[in-house]
């Protein structure tokens, strides 16, 4: 059977163009990589030659070129006594196939070397294997070129080698730089090392590990004990989530960092994801495994850039978490599109008009205001550009996600952050302080770094803060509130039922502060920031000894008595007097969607949840009858909608903002919760144009260099 299979594969092979190329078909019964290594080792010992590490040009295809196969350049002209690069065409390639349940490899080899003879002692030979291994270790330790040069010199002297012309033992700086450049990525050594670390040394730091195979991608979820404790102290944080692809992970893997703001106000990572395949399914799996390892973890909001794969993954795992788009990335994406061919190659003046229009839309505090401002600005852009091309792009790609980047979607406390700079700063620190500006080439080294020096750094910084060695920077609102409280402004406030009016320090107006629901009418608070008026009232309430928690509990009892809530098995919905709704998830009973809870307050909704018991659901027989009647058909819902429609046409109807918010939320609830919406990714990667700039700069540099040399010859 095996012989027939081999003969059948050989008949289908194309005849090579070069007569020196020999083809063979071999059946493989073990590991493919072990087979390749053994085959290459046998050829090298027999032919007295060396081959470079493999290059995977296509799927299941590996190419081993001759060690001297690089193109010869400079004054050497390919002379083997002057250079190790003389364009040798010798190679061995492996193409792995599986057919009829049999696995095999198609081997092509051309072993006729040109221009060199490894046995000739006068030729430039490769570095001694022992020294080569030491240099790789020194490079992994982060040693510089000069340090490695000195270490290799000392090693050669200690081993009795004195001839500095012998390149096997005495290296030049260029040799070390070449080794650093050719330090390869994932291979058997790296994968075996990762398996060992995950199962032995770092097993307490791994939430989930899935090794790389043809059928499954590489997935690694990392969380150290220090990070686990940090997340236990902040179970419902605002998460800053971003990914990096260059310089940190080898092989083009995606490296995700998830950060939160700790009690010292510093952005600290609490988990890492490493993915070989970045899809909604893989990111969702990482988030699920992270939540399983941390049962109380449920983010209140997530700051990210607009990657629909990540966005959909977060929605599937944390449906009640707020999603925010980094404002910087929004402007960056729009600007990059405007300078591309698709965007029309707009001039700086034209781009400024579009960017200023986006900034005006960003400042809208209500959805109704956004609709009006966006319509006005789109009309102005169309008139200015004499084309609807740009506004069509904005409406298609950004207006559909307006709630994620406009201020009306950020009315909760979001750490006064409009961008993802916390994550960007972490990547900057990792790349240029821990990695010293050098690209990381191996996954095992990255794991050791993350679970070692990086953790020590953040743990030490927190220790300094707890010891009082580092001063905690308070916000401007806290400083202003402390100054007002010190000047006695709070003594004149008339606080009744947790509410009062705080006079403005810059205008003649007064802002209404409701400490029960933790709200203020000032613009700074409406933009999702903590304001000095609320902090001042909170300080004054503490000075007077007023029990706000008792007031909130009484308010919760009133809501329960008036039946201003609705319960399901998963959540409790509270209907507020201002027309808004708040939702408490039963799985995380300390987390609520209201504004007060987003600022870390134990809100009225949480009091309602604690008062209610699971067995209290639908205890009233009349309520049971109403619900059962509604569950058997649509007439009750239709009758309510008909009543609303008739009332809206009557003279008694009056449009108010509270009514608009209530109807809008009721409209969004069924369409957002009981319908499935599928959207394709509408933005392609916008970084391709940079390659053109880089190529143009390189060509310009070559021309300038040529001109300068030409002028030097003339002089």
């Amino acid at each position: 059977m095996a012989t027939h299979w081999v003969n059948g594969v050989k008949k289908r092979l194309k005849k090579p163009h070069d007569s020196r190329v020999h083809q063979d078909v071999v059946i493989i019964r073990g590991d493919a990589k072990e087979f390749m290594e053994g085959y290459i080792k046998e050829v090298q010992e027999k032919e007295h030659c060396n081959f470079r590490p493999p290059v995977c040009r296509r799927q299941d295809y590996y190419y081993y070129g001759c060690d001297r196969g690089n193109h010869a350049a400079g004054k050497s002209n390919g002379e083997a006594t002057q250079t190790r690069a003389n364009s040798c065409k010798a190679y061995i390639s492996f193409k792995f196939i599986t057919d009829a349940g049999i696995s095999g490899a198609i081997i092509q080899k051309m072993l006729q070397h040109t221009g060199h003879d490894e046995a000739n002692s006068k030729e430039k030979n490769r570095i001694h294997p022992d020294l080569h291994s030491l240099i790789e270790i020194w490079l992994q330790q982060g040693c510089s070129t000069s340090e490695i040069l000195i270490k290799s010199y000392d090693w050669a002297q200690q081993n009795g080698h004195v001839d500095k012309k012998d390149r096997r033992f005495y290296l030049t700086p260029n040799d070390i730089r070449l080794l650093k450049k050719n330090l390869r990525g994932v291979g058997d050594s790296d994968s075996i090392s990762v398996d060992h670390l995950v199962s032995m040394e770092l097993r307490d730091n791994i939430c989930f590990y899935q090794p790389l195979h043809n059928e499954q991608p590489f997935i690694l979820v990392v969380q150290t004990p220090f990070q686990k404790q940090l997340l236990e102290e902040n179970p419902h944080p605002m998460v800053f989530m971003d990914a990096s692809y260059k310089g940190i992970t080898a092989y083009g893997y995606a490296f995700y960092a998830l950060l939160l703001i700790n009690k010292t106000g510093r952005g600290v990572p609490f988990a890492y994801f490493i993915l070989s395949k970045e899809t909604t399914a893989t990111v969702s799996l990482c988030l699920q495994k992270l939540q399983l390892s941390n049962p109380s973890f449920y983010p209140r909001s997530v700051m990210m850039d607009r990657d629909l794969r990540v966005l959909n993954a977060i929605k599937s795992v944390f449906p009640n978490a707020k999603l925010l788009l980094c404002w910087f990335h929004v402007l960056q994406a729009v600007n990059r599109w405007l300078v591309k061919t698709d965007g029309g190659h707009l001039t700086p003046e034209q781009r400024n008009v579009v960017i200023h229009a986006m900034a005006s839309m960003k400042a809208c505090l209500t959805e109704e205001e956004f609709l009006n401002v966006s319509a006005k600005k789109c009309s102005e852009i169309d008139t200015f550009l004499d084309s609807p091309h740009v506004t069509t792009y904005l409406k298609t790609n950004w207006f559909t996600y307006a709630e994620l980047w406009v201020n009306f979607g950020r009315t909760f406390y979001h750490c006064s952050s409009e961008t993802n700079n916390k994550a960007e700063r972490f990547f900057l620190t990792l790349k240029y302080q821990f990695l010293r500006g050098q690209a990381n080439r191996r996954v095992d080294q990255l794991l050791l770094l993350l679970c070692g020096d990086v953790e020590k750094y953040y743990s030490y910084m927190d220790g300094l803060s707890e010891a009082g060695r580092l001063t905690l920077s308070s916000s401007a609102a806290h400083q202003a509130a402390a100054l007002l409280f010190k000047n006695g402004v709070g003594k004149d406030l008339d606080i009744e039922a947790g509410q009062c009016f705080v006079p403005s320090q810059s205008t003649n107006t007064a802002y209404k502060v409701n400490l029960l629901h933790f709200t203020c009418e000032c613009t700074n608070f409406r933009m999702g920031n903590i304001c000095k008026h609320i902090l001042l009232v909170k300080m004054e309430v503490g000075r007077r000894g007023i029990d706000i928690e008792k007031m909130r509990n009484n308010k919760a009892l009133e809501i329960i008595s008036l039946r201003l809530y609705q319960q399901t098995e998963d959540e409790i919905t509270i209907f507020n007097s201002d027309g808004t709704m708040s939702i408490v998830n039963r799985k995380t009973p300390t987390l609520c969607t209201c504004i007060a809870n987003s600022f870390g307050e134990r809100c009225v909704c949480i009091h309602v949840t604690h008062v209610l018991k699971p067995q209290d659901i639908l205890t009233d027989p009349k309520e049971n009858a109403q619900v059962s009647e509604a569950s058997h058909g649509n007439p009750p819902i239709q009758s309510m909608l008909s009543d609303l429609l008739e009332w809206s046409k009557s003279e008694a109807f009056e449009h108010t903002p509270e009514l608009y918010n209530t109807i809008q939320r009721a409209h969004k609830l069924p369409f957002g919760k009981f319908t499935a919406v599928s959207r394709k990714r509408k933005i392609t990667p916008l970084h391709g144009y940079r390659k053109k700039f880089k190529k143009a700069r390189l060509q310009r540099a070559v021309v300038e260099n040529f001109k300068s040399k030409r002028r030097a010859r003339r002089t």
Side-chain angles (χ1 to χ4, degrees):
M1 178 65 183
T3 305
H4 292 295
W5 185 86
V6 170
N7 294 331
V9 174
K10 287 183 177 180
K11 289 180 180 179
R12 296 196 300 267
L13 294 179
K14 294 182 180 180
K15 185 177 180 181
H17 298 289
D18 193 340
S19 59
R20 297 174 297 176
V21 176
H22 176 71
Q23 292 181 332
D24 194 10
V25 179
V26 180
I27 295 178
I28 300 176
R29 292 181 174 82
D31 184 69
K33 292 186 178 180
E34 291 182 359
F35 168 77
M36 285 193 300
E37 286 188 349
Y39 192 93
I40 292 295
K41 184 177 180 180
E42 182 181 352
V43 172
Q44 289 183 154
E45 293 176 353
K46 183 178 180 181
E47 300 290 336
H48 302 289
C49 60
N50 294 288
F51 292 90
R52 289 176 293 176
V55 176
C56 185
R57 296 181 175 178
R58 300 188 301 274
Q59 185 178 6
D60 297 329
Y61 178 82
Y62 297 87
Y63 179 90
Y64 289 79
C66 177
D67 192 55
R68 297 178 181 267
N70 290 338
H71 178 67
K75 299 179 181 179
S76 63
N77 295 323
E79 291 291 336
T81 56
Q82 301 180 20
T83 180
R84 297 188 68 246
N86 57 359
S87 305
C88 181
K89 301 299 182 181
Y91 75 93
I92 302 176
S93 67
F94 299 87
K95 171 62 178 178
F96 294 98
I97 57 175
T98 301
D99 188 16
I102 301 176
S103 299
I106 301 172
I107 304 175
Q108 285 196 159
K109 54 185 177 181
M110 201 284 283
L111 301 180
Q112 185 174 340
H113 298 268
T114 56
H116 67 93
D117 180 11
E118 294 284 346
N120 187 357
S121 59
K122 294 183 179 180
E123 293 185 353
K124 284 186 171 291
N125 297 318
R126 64 184 307 172
I127 302 171
H128 193 275
D130 294 341
L131 181 57
H132 191 281
S133 301
L134 288 174
I135 293 174
E136 285 193 353
I137 295 174
W138 295 332
L139 287 171
Q140 294 170 9
Q141 293 174 351
C143 296
S144 64
T145 302
S146 301
E147 292 172 336
I148 295 175
L149 200 66
I150 296 172
K151 289 177 180 289
S152 61
Y153 173 77
D154 293 339
W155 180 86
Q157 292 287 325
Q158 292 171 4
N159 286 273
H161 304 290
V162 295
D163 186 7
K164 293 184 176 59
K165 295 181 179 180
D166 193 344
R167 184 183 176 276
R168 294 178 299 169
F169 307 104
Y170 290 92
L171 281 66
T172 64
N174 286 334
D175 295 333
I176 299 174
R177 295 189 189 103
L178 183 62
L179 288 175
K180 185 186 298 185
K181 181 179 179 181
N182 292 333
L183 187 61
R184 291 295 177 181
V186 98
D188 288 341
S189 58
D190 194 6
S191 60
I192 293 173
S193 178
V194 170
D195 289 334
H196 175 77
L197 291 174
V198 169
S199 59
M200 300 294 293
E201 299 177 27
L202 303 180
R203 61 180 178 273
D204 296 333
N205 303 279
I206 306 300
C207 295
F208 179 70
Y209 170 60
Q210 177 175 284
L212 179 66
H213 290 298
N214 293 333
E215 299 80 12
Q216 63 183 19
F218 177 87
I219 300 178
L220 192 61
V221 181
V222 184
Q223 187 183 46
T224 65
F226 167 76
Q227 293 175 325
K228 193 175 185 68
Q229 181 181 358
L230 176 68
L231 198 56
E232 290 176 355
E233 298 173 356
N234 304 271
H236 309 306
M238 176 180 179
V239 177
F240 298 84
M241 184 174 179
D242 200 6
S244 180
Y245 305 89
K246 295 181 179 179
I248 296 181
T249 57
Y251 339 118
Y253 288 1
F255 174 72
Y256 279 88
L258 285 75
L259 294 90
L260 58 81
I261 297 180
N262 63 357
K263 57 187 177 182
T264 65
R266 183 181 294 106
V268 182
F270 64 87
Y272 312 105
F273 303 157
I274 303 177
L275 306 171
S276 64
K277 187 177 182 181
E278 192 181 13
T279 62
T280 299
T282 55
V283 178
S284 299
L285 180 60
C286 292
L287 293 173
Q288 290 170 3
K289 296 300 181 180
L290 181 63
Q291 190 182 37
L292 287 176
S293 181
N294 305 270
S296 61
F297 169 58
Y298 199 102
R300 180 176 304 281
S301 59
V302 181
M303 177 72 74
M304 51 177 289
D305 57 0
R306 212 201 81 159
D307 189 333
L308 296 188
R309 297 169 297 185
V310 180
L311 189 147
N312 293 329
I314 297 173
K315 281 185 177 181
S316 64
V317 181
F318 305 112
N320 293 328
K322 292 280 189 178
L323 297 178
L324 302 179
L325 292 184
C326 173
W327 177 230
F328 169 77
H329 284 96
V330 171
L331 291 182
Q332 184 186 57
V334 172
N335 184 71
R336 285 176 174 174
W337 184 83
L338 294 176
V339 300
K340 290 178 64 179
T341 305
D342 294 342
H345 289 306
L346 299 188
T347 63
E349 181 183 1
Q350 293 172 329
R351 295 200 302 270
N352 287 337
V353 171
V354 179
I355 296 301
H356 284 305
M358 291 285 290
S360 301
M361 301 176 202
K362 170 76 168 62
C364 297
L365 294 175
T366 63
E367 187 173 1
E368 186 178 8
E369 181 185 0
F370 171 76
L371 294 175
N372 296 330
V373 172
S374 60
K376 179 181 177 182
K377 292 298 179 181
C378 286
S379 178
E380 293 177 359
I381 293 174
D382 291 344
T383 304
F384 181 76
L385 299 178
D386 196 23
S387 171
H389 181 62
V390 172
T391 55
T392 301
Y393 161 78
L394 296 178
K395 293 175 183 177
T396 304
N397 296 278
W398 298 106
F399 288 8
T400 53
Y401 301 96
E403 189 177 0
L404 307 185
W405 58 274
V406 181
N407 285 345
F408 74 80
R410 307 188 179 202
T411 54
F412 60 95
Y413 182 56
H414 52 278
C415 303
S416 301
S417 297
E418 298 294 334
T419 65
N420 212 0
N421 282 348
K422 297 292 184 183
E424 298 290 347
R425 184 177 300 174
F426 166 74
F427 286 133
L428 190 69
T429 303
L430 184 62
K431 290 179 181 178
Y432 294 99
Q433 293 188 24
F434 292 102
L435 292 175
R436 304 180 184 181
Q438 299 175 358
N440 178 58
R441 297 290 184 183
R442 297 171 63 94
V443 175
D444 55 355
Q445 294 173 10
L446 180 62
L447 283 177
L448 292 172
L449 179 63
L450 295 176
C451 300
D453 292 346
V454 174
E455 181 184 359
K456 289 179 183 178
Y457 170 77
Y458 285 103
S459 178
Y460 177 64
M461 296 299 287
D462 283 352
L464 288 179
S465 301
E466 293 175 0
R469 297 285 304 280
L470 295 179
T471 57
L472 304 181
S473 58
S474 58
S475 65
H478 284 82
Q479 296 175 2
L483 181 61
L484 293 176
F485 184 77
K486 183 179 180 181
N487 295 335
V489 177
K491 297 179 180 180
D492 301 330
L493 298 178
D494 184 14
I495 304 176
E496 183 177 355
Q499 301 182 27
C500 66
F501 286 89
V502 180
S504 173
Q505 304 299 309
S506 56
T507 62
N508 296 327
T509 59
Y511 301 112
K512 183 180 179 180
V513 175
N514 186 333
L515 211 58
L516 291 181
H517 297 289
F518 214 75
T519 58
C520 180
E521 294 180 344
C522 70
T523 304
N524 191 32
F525 181 84
R526 293 173 65 193
M527 293 178 64
N529 303 315
I530 192 74
C531 68
K532 60 183 180 182
H533 311 109
I534 284 186
L535 295 174
L536 174 63
V537 176
K538 192 174 181 180
M539 292 178 185
E540 184 61 25
V541 163
R543 189 186 67 81
R544 297 184 188 183
I546 300 175
D547 192 352
I548 291 295
E549 292 300 317
K550 185 177 180 179
M551 290 184 179
R552 288 175 178 168
N553 191 66
N554 293 335
K555 184 67 175 178
L557 295 175
E558 179 184 347
I559 290 174
I560 294 173
S561 63
L562 296 175
R563 294 287 181 178
L564 297 176
Y565 67 93
Q566 181 181 0
Q567 300 191 72
T568 63
E569 294 181 359
D570 298 327
E571 59 190 26
I572 299 176
T573 304
I574 294 93
F575 302 97
N576 302 314
S577 57
D578 60 351
T580 61
M581 294 186 301
S582 304
I583 300 175
V584 180
N585 196 313
R586 288 187 181 275
K587 295 180 180 179
T588 55
T590 60
L591 179 64
C592 178
T593 60
C594 71
I595 296 178
N597 192 251
S598 69
F599 284 90
E601 296 289 320
R602 196 170 184 267
C603 60
V604 175
C605 314
I606 300 299
H607 282 277
V608 171
T609 306
H610 286 184
V611 172
L612 294 173
K613 303 295 183 182
Q615 59 268 24
D616 292 339
I617 300 178
L618 306 179
T619 54
D620 190 353
K622 295 182 180 179
E623 187 175 354
N624 278 327
Q626 292 175 0
V627 173
S628 61
E629 180 184 357
S631 62
H632 287 295
N634 293 330
I637 298 178
Q638 292 177 349
S639 62
M640 288 188 290
L641 295 176
S642 300
D643 292 341
L644 287 174
L645 182 61
E646 292 178 3
W647 174 66
S648 65
K649 297 178 180 179
S650 65
E651 296 180 357
F653 175 76
E654 182 181 358
H655 179 79
T656 61
E658 292 79 11
L659 177 62
Y660 176 81
N661 291 333
T662 303
I663 300 298
Q664 184 188 42
R665 290 180 182 274
H667 180 269
K668 282 185 176 181
L669 185 62
F671 287 98
K673 198 170 184 180
F674 302 107
T675 59
V677 180
S678 175
R679 297 187 180 96
K680 293 183 178 179
R681 189 166 185 173
K682 298 183 177 67
I683 289 189
T684 56
L686 303 178
H687 305 282
Y689 75 98
R690 289 192 172 184
K691 295 181 180 179
K692 299 179 181 178
F693 293 165
K694 185 177 181 180
K695 184 177 180 181
R697 294 194 192 101
L698 181 62
Q699 291 177 347
R700 183 177 178 182
V702 171
V703 173
E704 292 294 333
N705 188 24
F706 174 75
K707 290 182 178 179
S708 62
K709 289 183 177 179
R710 192 173 183 180
R711 287 194 294 267
R713 293 195 197 100
R714 291 176 179 176
T715 57

